[in-house]
Amino acid sequence: AQKITQTQPGMFVQEKEAVTLDCTYDTSDPSYGLFWYKQPSSGEMIFLIYQGSYDQQNATEGRYSLNFQKARKSANLVISASQLGDSAMYFCAMREGDDAGKSTFGDGTTLTVKP
Amino acid sequence: KAGVTQTPRYLIKTRGQQVTLSCSPISGHRSVSWYQQTPGQGLQFLFEYFSETQRNKGNFPGRFSGRQFSNSRSEMNVSTLELGDSALYLCASSLGQDRETQYFGPGTRLLVL
């Protein structure tokens, strides 16, 4: 079974609107971290936001927020006030307990922001 | 603080050759992880080095190897290149603690002809 599932291969959003990118995960480890990365066409993976499994509040970083629903094992990324520069591939990732440097990634969602 | 750097950024090789990629982590970071990204397989974990020791290894053949130096810089080597090795190779650095954020470099695009 896939550990990280991103069910939206592609998404479109109008500039200045908000968009939610879905991510569900599968783990039996009570201690884990969830991450979102942005990958523009240049290839670099840019860290956006982190949520720890024991964090009581949803993480926020500027225009990015993470809708963390632990019981449903979902960690959706919300981007508010979309900008043209937000057009990129977005990856959800997880690191579990004693993972020794390994992140597990989903297949990604391509976001296109329309002017 | 300078980010993760990778050299070279682009590389073209022919089948059967070998290649060495380099990664310099963020200053103070002791963990370097390597990933292979292809359109078909997505992002796959190759291995991780911490304080010059390989701590973890993904499911790749022995043609893929790496090492880490005392200054935490890491190299990855692929011998006897195959067409399927064409990919974006990303390295990521972190302090080395469990479940912490990994910061990625710009990647090396390898094309095998």
Side-chain angles (χ1 to χ4, degrees):
Chain A
Q2 272 204 306
K3 286 202 166 188
I4 299 285
T5 303
Q6 295 180 251
T7 57
Q8 307 153 313
M11 288 280 285
F12 291 89
V13 65
Q14 209 65 38
E15 195 179 6
K16 298 180 186 176
E17 291 186 349
V19 63
T20 298
L21 306 183
D22 295 341
C23 172
T24 58
Y25 60 93
D26 183 27
T27 181
S28 57
D29 194 328
S31 182
Y32 52 89
L34 296 160
F35 307 84
W36 278 91
Y37 290 89
K38 171 186 177 180
Q39 187 177 43
S41 56
S42 60
E44 183 171 1
M45 198 76 77
I46 302 166
F47 166 69
L48 295 177
I49 196 166
Y50 162 81
Q51 180 84 43
S53 60
Y54 294 119
D55 293 344
Q56 295 297 310
Q57 295 199 328
N58 287 342
T60 60
E61 286 286 349
R63 293 187 299 112
Y64 305 107
S65 60
L66 204 152
N67 184 2
F68 180 46
Q69 298 186 46
K70 195 170 180 176
R72 296 180 60 186
K73 292 189 174 178
S74 75
N76 299 338
L77 176 70
V78 180
I79 305 174
S80 63
S82 296
Q83 303 171 355
L84 295 178
D86 293 336
S87 293
M89 185 83 123
Y90 288 80
F91 290 94
C92 179
M94 178 172 64
R95 293 191 65 180
E96 301 168 273
D98 185 19
D99 62 20
K102 178 183 176 182
S103 292
T104 301
F105 288 82
D107 291 336
T109 295
T110 302
L111 177 66
T112 303
V113 181
K114 294 181 173 181
Chain B
K1 200 181 259 193
V4 180
T5 58
Q6 290 187 247
T7 57
R9 294 292 311 279
Y10 303 92
L11 210 46
I12 300 175
K13 292 286 187 179
T14 56
R15 277 183 301 173
Q17 287 187 311
Q18 76 163 12
V19 67
T20 299
L21 313 182
S22 180
C23 172
S24 292
I26 292 170
S27 177
H29 284 189
R30 295 165 65 191
S31 167
V32 174
S33 295
W34 288 90
Y35 294 84
Q36 180 196 64
Q37 186 178 23
T38 59
Q41 299 296 319
L43 275 146
Q44 293 188 291
F45 173 77
L46 281 156
F47 34 65
E48 187 252 11
Y49 285 86
F50 178 80
S51 293
E52 301 179 66
T53 301
Q54 186 182 87
R55 283 199 306 186
N56 201 357
K57 189 179 190 311
N59 190 24
F60 278 81
R63 300 186 296 107
F64 292 81
S65 63
R67 59 177 175 167
Q68 187 179 35
F69 302 94
S70 58
N71 62 357
S72 294
R73 188 178 71 86
S74 176
E75 287 183 347
M76 186 192 115
N77 184 76
V78 188
S79 62
T80 319
L81 283 165
E82 300 177 0
L83 296 179
D85 297 333
S86 294
L88 177 66
Y89 290 89
L90 292 160
C91 82
S93 84
S94 68
L95 292 168
Q97 298 162 7
D98 292 336
R99 301 177 302 282
E100 64 167 332
T101 303
Q102 291 183 316
Y103 296 91
F104 285 79
T108 294
R109 289 191 188 273
L110 172 65
L111 177 61
V112 182
L113 301 175

